[in-house]
Amino acid sequence: MAFFQTPPELGNQYDEDPVLASWLTRHLPEDVLRENLSDLREVGALAAGELHRSLLATQDDEPRLVQWDAWGQRVDRIELTAHWQKVAPIAASKGLIATAYERRFAEHSRIVQFALLYVLEPSTAIYSCPLAMTDGAAKTLLVSGNEALKRRALPRLTSRDPAVAWTSGQWMTERTGGSDVAISETVARRGTDGEFRLYGTKWFTSATTSQMALTLARPDANPPGGKGLALFYVEQRDEDGRLNGISVNRLKDKLGTRMVPTAELTLEGTRASLVYGETDGIKNITPMLNITRTWNAVGAACGMRRAVALARDYARRRVAFGAPLAEKPLHVDTLAAMDAEYQGAFMLTFRAVELLGREEAGVLTEDEAALLRLVTPLAKLTTGKQAVAVASEALESFGGAGYVEDTGLPRLLRDAQVLPIWEGTTNVLSLDVLRALGRSGSAAPLDPIEREVRRCVAGAAKAGCEEAGRVATAAVAHARTWLEETFPRGRAALEGGARGFALTLGRALELALLIDEAAWQAERGDRRAAAAARRLARHGVDAIADAGVEGDTQLLAGG
Ligand code: MFK
């Protein structure tokens, strides 16, 4: 009989994930984990079963922009894919936003929320995009103190009822760019009725079917620059369902995230309300940025976990050169390398989640607050890069099948590629790390990271990870020396090395947190994190290049 290869399969995405289960066992109180187990398992079954099958069957579907109705009226309606329509009510009813705001589990609420997301996300075709922005908008409104907007939007943004729940957009990027937002061109004019109306173009608005959005515009009398922008709340449609001075020019033709309806919009008299003051829009939207960056890191970690799960299952099924790939030393070596990167990414991401939950519960220490400010961009930038590398390796581990569309595998790589780009590129996030360290030139703001690494590697011997512990400690020490020596050389030198510096901190933290987990697991006879830590240490943690920027500019000198 002719040979046919059996495809990879997924088991329950909670039950088959020892990394998540072990971490939750350690970091959640027993009763909180017990209370959430059935939801985690239910979501795990959906992610492996119904939603996985639905995504494979409909992965070529795309949202559709209908600009005109049959009678010539401009309607600009975006029709979502059937898969997204299936995911939306599940996301609301499973509390993917609500869990964080109900705070039933106090400081652990964020952990529960992001654990649910992590299990479900890889089968949602990036429905996490509108959810991330919804969470970011809810947080921004909550901290804004704007009672009217809180009353109006928060109950909907955080609802578990799919019929009531809203999602939010985050309209920041204009034709002038998505990184240097301060030069945005959209203006806000106050009418005689006292209401603001917005005029401008938003160039990259993700998930444009949301009911509301937070956006930036410059009240006409304000000066140029970031301080002159104000943060506005916009509802997309009026009570009669008509668009609020918004035209959808076109949907973007993107490399990946193809079910996400990303659009170019023109705002022509869009009614909008100030969220908080008439200036400092960039500063005021940063709560949203920090939340969506955390979502980005969770998306990266669970994307890697899905790639590893598929590659591992396939390695058991695929026989070549007389044995399953899972018994071939070189293939095992490749899978182990992917697994170590994934586990490191997981640890850093969920440490950020844990700190965020403690902040929102009001129990964060001063040291932890400083750590959270640094860990958020570090988790985003470090895991975004890892996600692309792991997805690429996963495709290769399938040979030609990984390059063929109807296996569903190429999508993993295309969707991973957005993670280092949106929500701030690796370089922009590296500069944010410098921003968070302040401009004093002192290395003291690195102390919380050094203390974290020291705390984590204290148990290295217990896990047989002494060498890995030395690698993490040495990398952070090198980062400190680099900062002290580079600061006096000026801003250009500092910025030129910011990516290597930030990646070193991110990877050192990943390694240290893995070692800490390994010490805890070792007492329970589990060696998984220890093996990952030793492996991650060998991959390299210190990414600081000591070369000066003078040489680098020669490389760009044409020819
Ligand atoms: C799987 C899940 C996926 C999630 C999907 C979400 C899809 C969403 C699609 C998008 O919308 S992507 C577009 C996202 N855009 C960005 O992330 C913007 C990237 N650019 C930056 O982050 C720039 O660094 C920034 C716009 C912030 C630079 O602006 P400025 O005005 O030149 O910055 P400046 O003057 O340094 O900072 C202004 C204030 O904000 C300062 O406070 P002060 O006025 O008190 O000095 C900063 O300290 C503060 N700030 C900036 N970034 C901060 C922050 N505070 C806290 N946290 C931060 N991250």
Side-chain angles (χ1 to χ4, degrees), residues 128-129 132-133 170 172-173 178-179 181 206 226-227 282-283 286 289-290 292-293 295-296 373 422-424 428 432 435:
S128 46
C129 171
M133 297 187 292
Q170 170 190 349
M172 289 178 72
T173 303
S179 298
V181 178
S206 282
K227 276 201 173 305
I282 290 187
K283 187 179 168 68
T286 54
L289 299 187
N290 290 330
T292 50
R293 286 169 186 174
W295 276 73
N296 206 90
R373 175 67 183 93
W422 67 8
E423 285 314 316
V428 166
D432 186 50
R435 181 192 282 115

PDB file of all heavy atoms in Angstrom, residues 128-129 132-133 170 172-173 178-179 181 206 226-227 282-283 286 289-290 292-293 295-296 373 422-424 428 432 435, ligand 1:
ATOM      1  N   SER A 128      -6.563  37.846  19.431  1.00  0.00           N
ATOM      2  CA  SER A 128      -5.896  38.512  20.558  1.00  0.00           C
ATOM      3  C   SER A 128      -5.613  39.981  20.264  1.00  0.00           C
ATOM      4  O   SER A 128      -5.434  40.768  21.202  1.00  0.00           O
ATOM      5  CB  SER A 128      -4.583  37.794  20.868  1.00  0.00           C
ATOM      6  OG  SER A 128      -3.883  37.544  19.668  1.00  0.00           O
ATOM      7  N   CYS A 129      -5.573  40.354  18.982  1.00  0.00           N
ATOM      8  CA  CYS A 129      -5.289  41.766  18.665  1.00  0.00           C
ATOM      9  C   CYS A 129      -6.386  42.686  19.213  1.00  0.00           C
ATOM     10  O   CYS A 129      -6.093  43.580  20.021  1.00  0.00           O
ATOM     11  CB  CYS A 129      -5.077  41.934  17.171  1.00  0.00           C
ATOM     12  SG  CYS A 129      -4.968  43.662  16.676  1.00  0.00           S
ATOM     13  N   ALA A 132      -6.345  42.564  23.049  1.00  0.00           N
ATOM     14  CA  ALA A 132      -5.239  43.298  23.686  1.00  0.00           C
ATOM     15  C   ALA A 132      -5.586  44.781  23.790  1.00  0.00           C
ATOM     16  O   ALA A 132      -5.392  45.423  24.825  1.00  0.00           O
ATOM     17  CB  ALA A 132      -3.961  43.114  22.875  1.00  0.00           C
ATOM     18  N   MET A 133      -6.110  45.310  22.698  1.00  0.00           N
ATOM     19  CA  MET A 133      -6.424  46.744  22.693  1.00  0.00           C
ATOM     20  C   MET A 133      -7.601  47.034  23.631  1.00  0.00           C
ATOM     21  O   MET A 133      -7.659  48.093  24.258  1.00  0.00           O
ATOM     22  CB  MET A 133      -6.738  47.190  21.272  1.00  0.00           C
ATOM     23  CG  MET A 133      -5.520  47.026  20.354  1.00  0.00           C
ATOM     24  SD  MET A 133      -5.741  47.713  18.710  1.00  0.00           S
ATOM     25  CE  MET A 133      -6.975  46.634  18.020  1.00  0.00           C
ATOM     26  N   GLN A 170      -7.044  50.913  18.838  1.00  0.00           N
ATOM     27  CA  GLN A 170      -5.961  51.785  19.344  1.00  0.00           C
ATOM     28  C   GLN A 170      -5.400  52.453  18.091  1.00  0.00           C
ATOM     29  O   GLN A 170      -4.622  51.859  17.371  1.00  0.00           O
ATOM     30  CB  GLN A 170      -4.916  50.896  20.032  1.00  0.00           C
ATOM     31  CG  GLN A 170      -3.632  51.558  20.410  1.00  0.00           C
ATOM     32  CD  GLN A 170      -2.596  50.518  20.866  1.00  0.00           C
ATOM     33  OE1 GLN A 170      -2.897  49.359  21.093  1.00  0.00           O
ATOM     34  NE2 GLN A 170      -1.362  50.939  20.998  1.00  0.00           N
ATOM     35  N   MET A 172      -3.164  54.865  16.595  1.00  0.00           N
ATOM     36  CA  MET A 172      -2.022  55.748  16.843  1.00  0.00           C
ATOM     37  C   MET A 172      -1.264  56.053  15.558  1.00  0.00           C
ATOM     38  O   MET A 172      -0.869  57.187  15.319  1.00  0.00           O
ATOM     39  CB  MET A 172      -1.063  55.082  17.832  1.00  0.00           C
ATOM     40  CG  MET A 172      -1.593  55.019  19.243  1.00  0.00           C
ATOM     41  SD  MET A 172      -0.442  54.189  20.324  1.00  0.00           S
ATOM     42  CE  MET A 172       0.847  55.424  20.460  1.00  0.00           C
ATOM     43  N   THR A 173      -1.035  55.025  14.760  1.00  0.00           N
ATOM     44  CA  THR A 173      -0.129  55.175  13.627  1.00  0.00           C
ATOM     45  C   THR A 173      -0.753  56.019  12.516  1.00  0.00           C
ATOM     46  O   THR A 173      -1.886  55.784  12.117  1.00  0.00           O
ATOM     47  CB  THR A 173       0.246  53.783  13.089  1.00  0.00           C
ATOM     48  OG1 THR A 173       0.822  53.047  14.154  1.00  0.00           O
ATOM     49  CG2 THR A 173       1.216  53.880  11.940  1.00  0.00           C
ATOM     50  N   GLY A 178       4.615  54.978  12.800  1.00  0.00           N
ATOM     51  CA  GLY A 178       4.041  54.309  13.964  1.00  0.00           C
ATOM     52  C   GLY A 178       4.954  54.364  15.178  1.00  0.00           C
ATOM     53  O   GLY A 178       4.533  54.049  16.290  1.00  0.00           O
ATOM     54  N   SER A 179       6.211  54.731  14.964  1.00  0.00           N
ATOM     55  CA  SER A 179       7.154  54.800  16.092  1.00  0.00           C
ATOM     56  C   SER A 179       7.220  56.223  16.647  1.00  0.00           C
ATOM     57  O   SER A 179       7.010  56.451  17.836  1.00  0.00           O
ATOM     58  CB  SER A 179       8.551  54.358  15.636  1.00  0.00           C
ATOM     59  OG  SER A 179       8.534  53.026  15.204  1.00  0.00           O
ATOM     60  N   VAL A 181       5.391  58.850  17.127  1.00  0.00           N
ATOM     61  CA  VAL A 181       3.974  59.225  17.139  1.00  0.00           C
ATOM     62  C   VAL A 181       3.796  60.727  17.373  1.00  0.00           C
ATOM     63  O   VAL A 181       2.781  61.319  16.992  1.00  0.00           O
ATOM     64  CB  VAL A 181       3.242  58.394  18.225  1.00  0.00           C
ATOM     65  CG1 VAL A 181       1.783  58.778  18.320  1.00  0.00           C
ATOM     66  CG2 VAL A 181       3.376  56.909  17.915  1.00  0.00           C
ATOM     67  N   SER A 206      -5.774  48.592  13.683  1.00  0.00           N
ATOM     68  CA  SER A 206      -6.049  47.156  13.727  1.00  0.00           C
ATOM     69  C   SER A 206      -7.458  46.918  14.219  1.00  0.00           C
ATOM     70  O   SER A 206      -8.005  47.702  14.994  1.00  0.00           O
ATOM     71  CB  SER A 206      -5.055  46.466  14.648  1.00  0.00           C
ATOM     72  OG  SER A 206      -3.841  46.318  13.966  1.00  0.00           O
ATOM     73  N   GLY A 226       4.960  65.643  21.056  1.00  0.00           N
ATOM     74  CA  GLY A 226       4.130  64.689  21.777  1.00  0.00           C
ATOM     75  C   GLY A 226       3.265  65.327  22.850  1.00  0.00           C
ATOM     76  O   GLY A 226       2.125  64.931  23.073  1.00  0.00           O
ATOM     77  N   LYS A 227       3.810  66.357  23.510  1.00  0.00           N
ATOM     78  CA  LYS A 227       3.057  66.998  24.593  1.00  0.00           C
ATOM     79  C   LYS A 227       1.813  67.692  24.060  1.00  0.00           C
ATOM     80  O   LYS A 227       0.806  67.821  24.756  1.00  0.00           O
ATOM     81  CB  LYS A 227       3.938  68.019  25.314  1.00  0.00           C
ATOM     82  CG  LYS A 227       4.821  67.395  26.378  1.00  0.00           C
ATOM     83  CD  LYS A 227       5.272  68.425  27.400  1.00  0.00           C
ATOM     84  CE  LYS A 227       6.011  67.818  28.573  1.00  0.00           C
ATOM     85  NZ  LYS A 227       5.309  66.773  29.281  1.00  0.00           N
ATOM     86  N   ILE A 282       0.579  61.261  24.485  1.00  0.00           N
ATOM     87  CA  ILE A 282       1.446  60.074  24.427  1.00  0.00           C
ATOM     88  C   ILE A 282       1.631  59.506  25.830  1.00  0.00           C
ATOM     89  O   ILE A 282       1.474  58.311  26.062  1.00  0.00           O
ATOM     90  CB  ILE A 282       2.801  60.415  23.758  1.00  0.00           C
ATOM     91  CG1 ILE A 282       2.551  60.674  22.269  1.00  0.00           C
ATOM     92  CG2 ILE A 282       3.806  59.278  23.964  1.00  0.00           C
ATOM     93  CD1 ILE A 282       3.795  60.853  21.431  1.00  0.00           C
ATOM     94  N   LYS A 283       1.932  60.387  26.760  1.00  0.00           N
ATOM     95  CA  LYS A 283       2.117  59.913  28.143  1.00  0.00           C
ATOM     96  C   LYS A 283       0.828  59.232  28.637  1.00  0.00           C
ATOM     97  O   LYS A 283       0.869  58.199  29.300  1.00  0.00           O
ATOM     98  CB  LYS A 283       2.470  61.098  29.031  1.00  0.00           C
ATOM     99  CG  LYS A 283       2.857  60.710  30.447  1.00  0.00           C
ATOM    100  CD  LYS A 283       3.202  61.977  31.205  1.00  0.00           C
ATOM    101  CE  LYS A 283       3.324  61.740  32.698  1.00  0.00           C
ATOM    102  NZ  LYS A 283       4.484  60.926  33.038  1.00  0.00           N
ATOM    103  N   THR A 286       0.187  55.631  27.497  1.00  0.00           N
ATOM    104  CA  THR A 286       1.171  54.576  27.816  1.00  0.00           C
ATOM    105  C   THR A 286       0.601  53.426  28.664  1.00  0.00           C
ATOM    106  O   THR A 286       1.087  52.305  28.520  1.00  0.00           O
ATOM    107  CB  THR A 286       2.453  55.142  28.480  1.00  0.00           C
ATOM    108  OG1 THR A 286       2.078  55.909  29.619  1.00  0.00           O
ATOM    109  CG2 THR A 286       3.257  55.978  27.511  1.00  0.00           C
ATOM    110  N   LEU A 289      -0.249  51.076  26.018  1.00  0.00           N
ATOM    111  CA  LEU A 289       0.934  50.481  25.376  1.00  0.00           C
ATOM    112  C   LEU A 289       1.523  49.387  26.248  1.00  0.00           C
ATOM    113  O   LEU A 289       1.897  48.316  25.757  1.00  0.00           O
ATOM    114  CB  LEU A 289       2.005  51.542  25.111  1.00  0.00           C
ATOM    115  CG  LEU A 289       1.662  52.702  24.194  1.00  0.00           C
ATOM    116  CD1 LEU A 289       2.894  53.559  23.921  1.00  0.00           C
ATOM    117  CD2 LEU A 289       1.087  52.187  22.873  1.00  0.00           C
ATOM    118  N   ASN A 290       1.599  49.644  27.542  1.00  0.00           N
ATOM    119  CA  ASN A 290       2.233  48.640  28.403  1.00  0.00           C
ATOM    120  C   ASN A 290       1.383  47.376  28.524  1.00  0.00           C
ATOM    121  O   ASN A 290       1.921  46.270  28.627  1.00  0.00           O
ATOM    122  CB  ASN A 290       2.570  49.250  29.771  1.00  0.00           C
ATOM    123  CG  ASN A 290       3.721  50.253  29.655  1.00  0.00           C
ATOM    124  OD1 ASN A 290       4.588  50.118  28.785  1.00  0.00           O
ATOM    125  ND2 ASN A 290       3.733  51.264  30.499  1.00  0.00           N
ATOM    126  N   THR A 292      -0.747  46.259  26.038  1.00  0.00           N
ATOM    127  CA  THR A 292      -0.688  45.520  24.764  1.00  0.00           C
ATOM    128  C   THR A 292       0.701  44.896  24.562  1.00  0.00           C
ATOM    129  O   THR A 292       0.820  43.848  23.924  1.00  0.00           O
ATOM    130  CB  THR A 292      -1.067  46.415  23.559  1.00  0.00           C
ATOM    131  OG1 THR A 292      -0.323  47.619  23.626  1.00  0.00           O
ATOM    132  CG2 THR A 292      -2.544  46.743  23.547  1.00  0.00           C
ATOM    133  N   ARG A 293       1.712  45.506  25.129  1.00  0.00           N
ATOM    134  CA  ARG A 293       3.053  44.894  25.041  1.00  0.00           C
ATOM    135  C   ARG A 293       3.107  43.608  25.859  1.00  0.00           C
ATOM    136  O   ARG A 293       3.787  42.647  25.488  1.00  0.00           O
ATOM    137  CB  ARG A 293       4.123  45.905  25.474  1.00  0.00           C
ATOM    138  CG  ARG A 293       4.327  46.965  24.410  1.00  0.00           C
ATOM    139  CD  ARG A 293       5.149  48.169  24.809  1.00  0.00           C
ATOM    140  NE  ARG A 293       5.119  49.138  23.696  1.00  0.00           N
ATOM    141  CZ  ARG A 293       5.625  50.350  23.731  1.00  0.00           C
ATOM    142  NH1 ARG A 293       6.229  50.791  24.828  1.00  0.00           N
ATOM    143  NH2 ARG A 293       5.544  51.144  22.670  1.00  0.00           N
ATOM    144  N   TRP A 295       0.481  41.658  26.307  1.00  0.00           N
ATOM    145  CA  TRP A 295      -0.251  40.705  25.448  1.00  0.00           C
ATOM    146  C   TRP A 295       0.653  40.174  24.341  1.00  0.00           C
ATOM    147  O   TRP A 295       0.597  39.005  23.978  1.00  0.00           O
ATOM    148  CB  TRP A 295      -1.470  41.393  24.816  1.00  0.00           C
ATOM    149  CG  TRP A 295      -2.676  41.424  25.698  1.00  0.00           C
ATOM    150  CD1 TRP A 295      -2.856  42.201  26.804  1.00  0.00           C
ATOM    151  CD2 TRP A 295      -3.883  40.653  25.548  1.00  0.00           C
ATOM    152  NE1 TRP A 295      -4.093  41.967  27.343  1.00  0.00           N
ATOM    153  CE2 TRP A 295      -4.743  41.031  26.591  1.00  0.00           C
ATOM    154  CE3 TRP A 295      -4.309  39.700  24.635  1.00  0.00           C
ATOM    155  CZ2 TRP A 295      -6.014  40.468  26.752  1.00  0.00           C
ATOM    156  CZ3 TRP A 295      -5.577  39.143  24.779  1.00  0.00           C
ATOM    157  CH2 TRP A 295      -6.419  39.521  25.835  1.00  0.00           C
ATOM    158  N   ASN A 296       1.469  41.072  23.800  1.00  0.00           N
ATOM    159  CA  ASN A 296       2.386  40.676  22.730  1.00  0.00           C
ATOM    160  C   ASN A 296       3.324  39.565  23.225  1.00  0.00           C
ATOM    161  O   ASN A 296       3.570  38.577  22.515  1.00  0.00           O
ATOM    162  CB  ASN A 296       3.195  41.903  22.317  1.00  0.00           C
ATOM    163  CG  ASN A 296       3.699  41.833  20.893  1.00  0.00           C
ATOM    164  OD1 ASN A 296       3.029  42.272  19.981  1.00  0.00           O
ATOM    165  ND2 ASN A 296       4.854  41.250  20.692  1.00  0.00           N
ATOM    166  N   ARG A 373       8.526  48.117  35.285  1.00  0.00           N
ATOM    167  CA  ARG A 373       8.705  49.113  34.209  1.00  0.00           C
ATOM    168  C   ARG A 373       9.750  48.626  33.196  1.00  0.00           C
ATOM    169  O   ARG A 373       9.650  48.900  31.998  1.00  0.00           O
ATOM    170  CB  ARG A 373       9.114  50.468  34.828  1.00  0.00           C
ATOM    171  CG  ARG A 373       9.439  51.541  33.817  1.00  0.00           C
ATOM    172  CD  ARG A 373       8.229  51.981  33.004  1.00  0.00           C
ATOM    173  NE  ARG A 373       8.573  52.977  31.983  1.00  0.00           N
ATOM    174  CZ  ARG A 373       8.895  52.676  30.725  1.00  0.00           C
ATOM    175  NH1 ARG A 373       8.937  51.406  30.321  1.00  0.00           N
ATOM    176  NH2 ARG A 373       9.180  53.631  29.856  1.00  0.00           N
ATOM    177  N   TRP A 422       4.758  45.207  15.608  1.00  0.00           N
ATOM    178  CA  TRP A 422       3.723  46.097  16.157  1.00  0.00           C
ATOM    179  C   TRP A 422       3.936  46.276  17.666  1.00  0.00           C
ATOM    180  O   TRP A 422       4.705  45.550  18.292  1.00  0.00           O
ATOM    181  CB  TRP A 422       2.316  45.627  15.800  1.00  0.00           C
ATOM    182  CG  TRP A 422       1.788  44.335  16.390  1.00  0.00           C
ATOM    183  CD1 TRP A 422       2.365  43.562  17.345  1.00  0.00           C
ATOM    184  CD2 TRP A 422       0.554  43.694  16.030  1.00  0.00           C
ATOM    185  NE1 TRP A 422       1.573  42.475  17.610  1.00  0.00           N
ATOM    186  CE2 TRP A 422       0.445  42.529  16.824  1.00  0.00           C
ATOM    187  CE3 TRP A 422      -0.480  43.982  15.150  1.00  0.00           C
ATOM    188  CZ2 TRP A 422      -0.643  41.664  16.742  1.00  0.00           C
ATOM    189  CZ3 TRP A 422      -1.559  43.108  15.084  1.00  0.00           C
ATOM    190  CH2 TRP A 422      -1.630  41.969  15.863  1.00  0.00           C
ATOM    191  N   GLU A 423       3.293  47.246  18.170  1.00  0.00           N
ATOM    192  CA  GLU A 423       3.443  47.593  19.598  1.00  0.00           C
ATOM    193  C   GLU A 423       4.854  48.067  19.932  1.00  0.00           C
ATOM    194  O   GLU A 423       5.288  47.982  21.079  1.00  0.00           O
ATOM    195  CB  GLU A 423       3.062  46.409  20.494  1.00  0.00           C
ATOM    196  CG  GLU A 423       1.582  46.175  20.585  1.00  0.00           C
ATOM    197  CD  GLU A 423       0.852  47.474  20.815  1.00  0.00           C
ATOM    198  OE1 GLU A 423       1.317  48.263  21.645  1.00  0.00           O
ATOM    199  OE2 GLU A 423      -0.150  47.725  20.138  1.00  0.00           O
ATOM    200  N   GLY A 424       5.562  48.577  18.949  1.00  0.00           N
ATOM    201  CA  GLY A 424       6.926  49.054  19.176  1.00  0.00           C
ATOM    202  C   GLY A 424       7.921  48.022  18.683  1.00  0.00           C
ATOM    203  O   GLY A 424       7.931  46.888  19.174  1.00  0.00           O
ATOM    204  N   VAL A 428      12.706  50.318  18.960  1.00  0.00           N
ATOM    205  CA  VAL A 428      11.936  51.306  19.745  1.00  0.00           C
ATOM    206  C   VAL A 428      11.814  50.837  21.200  1.00  0.00           C
ATOM    207  O   VAL A 428      11.937  51.629  22.138  1.00  0.00           O
ATOM    208  CB  VAL A 428      10.556  51.551  19.103  1.00  0.00           C
ATOM    209  CG1 VAL A 428       9.619  52.283  20.053  1.00  0.00           C
ATOM    210  CG2 VAL A 428      10.717  52.353  17.809  1.00  0.00           C
ATOM    211  N   ASP A 432      13.125  52.318  24.721  1.00  0.00           N
ATOM    212  CA  ASP A 432      12.237  52.485  25.882  1.00  0.00           C
ATOM    213  C   ASP A 432      12.919  51.974  27.154  1.00  0.00           C
ATOM    214  O   ASP A 432      12.719  52.524  28.242  1.00  0.00           O
ATOM    215  CB  ASP A 432      10.900  51.757  25.651  1.00  0.00           C
ATOM    216  CG  ASP A 432       9.901  52.040  26.771  1.00  0.00           C
ATOM    217  OD1 ASP A 432       9.709  53.230  27.103  1.00  0.00           O
ATOM    218  OD2 ASP A 432       9.344  51.075  27.338  1.00  0.00           O
ATOM    219  N   ARG A 435      14.961  54.660  28.238  1.00  0.00           N
ATOM    220  CA  ARG A 435      14.098  55.695  28.836  1.00  0.00           C
ATOM    221  C   ARG A 435      13.759  55.328  30.276  1.00  0.00           C
ATOM    222  O   ARG A 435      13.812  56.166  31.181  1.00  0.00           O
ATOM    223  CB  ARG A 435      12.824  55.831  28.013  1.00  0.00           C
ATOM    224  CG  ARG A 435      11.867  56.891  28.526  1.00  0.00           C
ATOM    225  CD  ARG A 435      10.501  56.789  27.848  1.00  0.00           C
ATOM    226  NE  ARG A 435      10.445  57.340  26.514  1.00  0.00           N
ATOM    227  CZ  ARG A 435      10.229  56.631  25.407  1.00  0.00           C
ATOM    228  NH1 ARG A 435      10.054  55.318  25.476  1.00  0.00           N
ATOM    229  NH2 ARG A 435      10.182  57.206  24.231  1.00  0.00           N
TER     230      ARG A 435
HETATM  231  C1  MFK B   1      -0.857  39.099  20.418  1.00  0.00           C
HETATM  232  C2  MFK B   1      -1.217  40.429  20.938  1.00  0.00           C
HETATM  233  C3  MFK B   1      -1.001  41.505  20.016  1.00  0.00           C
HETATM  234  C4  MFK B   1      -1.299  42.923  20.458  1.00  0.00           C
HETATM  235  C5  MFK B   1      -1.918  43.648  19.315  1.00  0.00           C
HETATM  236  C6  MFK B   1      -2.131  45.107  19.462  1.00  0.00           C
HETATM  237  C7  MFK B   1      -2.352  45.753  18.121  1.00  0.00           C
HETATM  238  C8  MFK B   1      -2.218  47.235  18.161  1.00  0.00           C
HETATM  239  C9  MFK B   1      -1.746  47.831  16.880  1.00  0.00           C
HETATM  240  C10 MFK B   1      -1.050  49.135  17.133  1.00  0.00           C
HETATM  241  O1  MFK B   1      -1.623  50.115  17.465  1.00  0.00           O
HETATM  242  S1  MFK B   1       0.628  49.102  16.917  1.00  0.00           S
HETATM  243  C11 MFK B   1       1.136  50.787  17.262  1.00  0.00           C
HETATM  244  C12 MFK B   1       1.744  50.814  18.558  1.00  0.00           C
HETATM  245  N1  MFK B   1       2.573  51.992  18.652  1.00  0.00           N
HETATM  246  C13 MFK B   1       3.517  52.044  19.559  1.00  0.00           C
HETATM  247  O2  MFK B   1       3.722  51.132  20.323  1.00  0.00           O
HETATM  248  C14 MFK B   1       4.327  53.311  19.618  1.00  0.00           C
HETATM  249  C15 MFK B   1       5.804  53.041  19.433  1.00  0.00           C
HETATM  250  N2  MFK B   1       6.570  54.234  19.785  1.00  0.00           N
HETATM  251  C16 MFK B   1       6.964  54.484  21.068  1.00  0.00           C
HETATM  252  O3  MFK B   1       6.695  53.720  21.970  1.00  0.00           O
HETATM  253  C17 MFK B   1       7.759  55.730  21.267  1.00  0.00           C
HETATM  254  O4  MFK B   1       8.787  55.451  22.167  1.00  0.00           O
HETATM  255  C18 MFK B   1       6.891  56.890  21.825  1.00  0.00           C
HETATM  256  C19 MFK B   1       5.677  57.114  20.929  1.00  0.00           C
HETATM  257  C20 MFK B   1       6.413  56.638  23.263  1.00  0.00           C
HETATM  258  C21 MFK B   1       7.795  58.117  21.780  1.00  0.00           C
HETATM  259  O5  MFK B   1       7.054  59.325  21.985  1.00  0.00           O
HETATM  260  P1  MFK B   1       7.759  60.631  22.591  1.00  0.00           P
HETATM  261  O6  MFK B   1       6.710  61.660  22.843  1.00  0.00           O
HETATM  262  O7  MFK B   1       8.941  60.990  21.777  1.00  0.00           O
HETATM  263  O8  MFK B   1       8.251  60.044  23.986  1.00  0.00           O
HETATM  264  P2  MFK B   1       8.795  60.732  25.303  1.00  0.00           P
HETATM  265  O9  MFK B   1       8.755  62.236  25.215  1.00  0.00           O
HETATM  266  O10 MFK B   1      10.083  60.115  25.655  1.00  0.00           O
HETATM  267  O11 MFK B   1       7.705  60.240  26.373  1.00  0.00           O
HETATM  268  C22 MFK B   1       6.529  60.920  26.650  1.00  0.00           C
HETATM  269  C23 MFK B   1       6.137  60.584  28.088  1.00  0.00           C
HETATM  270  O12 MFK B   1       5.638  59.251  28.126  1.00  0.00           O
HETATM  271  C24 MFK B   1       7.315  60.599  29.055  1.00  0.00           C
HETATM  272  O13 MFK B   1       6.822  60.984  30.316  1.00  0.00           O
HETATM  273  P3  MFK B   1       7.165  62.455  30.943  1.00  0.00           P
HETATM  274  O14 MFK B   1       6.430  63.420  30.044  1.00  0.00           O
HETATM  275  O15 MFK B   1       6.631  62.421  32.348  1.00  0.00           O
HETATM  276  O16 MFK B   1       8.647  62.613  30.851  1.00  0.00           O
HETATM  277  C25 MFK B   1       7.747  59.149  29.104  1.00  0.00           C
HETATM  278  O17 MFK B   1       8.412  58.813  30.292  1.00  0.00           O
HETATM  279  C26 MFK B   1       6.391  58.461  29.040  1.00  0.00           C
HETATM  280  N3  MFK B   1       6.507  57.096  28.492  1.00  0.00           N
HETATM  281  C27 MFK B   1       6.874  56.767  27.233  1.00  0.00           C
HETATM  282  N4  MFK B   1       6.807  55.435  27.072  1.00  0.00           N
HETATM  283  C28 MFK B   1       6.374  54.921  28.249  1.00  0.00           C
HETATM  284  C29 MFK B   1       6.182  55.977  29.152  1.00  0.00           C
HETATM  285  N5  MFK B   1       5.736  55.792  30.402  1.00  0.00           N
HETATM  286  C30 MFK B   1       5.488  54.518  30.789  1.00  0.00           C
HETATM  287  N6  MFK B   1       5.659  53.452  29.971  1.00  0.00           N
HETATM  288  C31 MFK B   1       6.098  53.604  28.703  1.00  0.00           C
HETATM  289  N7  MFK B   1       6.238  52.541  27.916  1.00  0.00           N
END
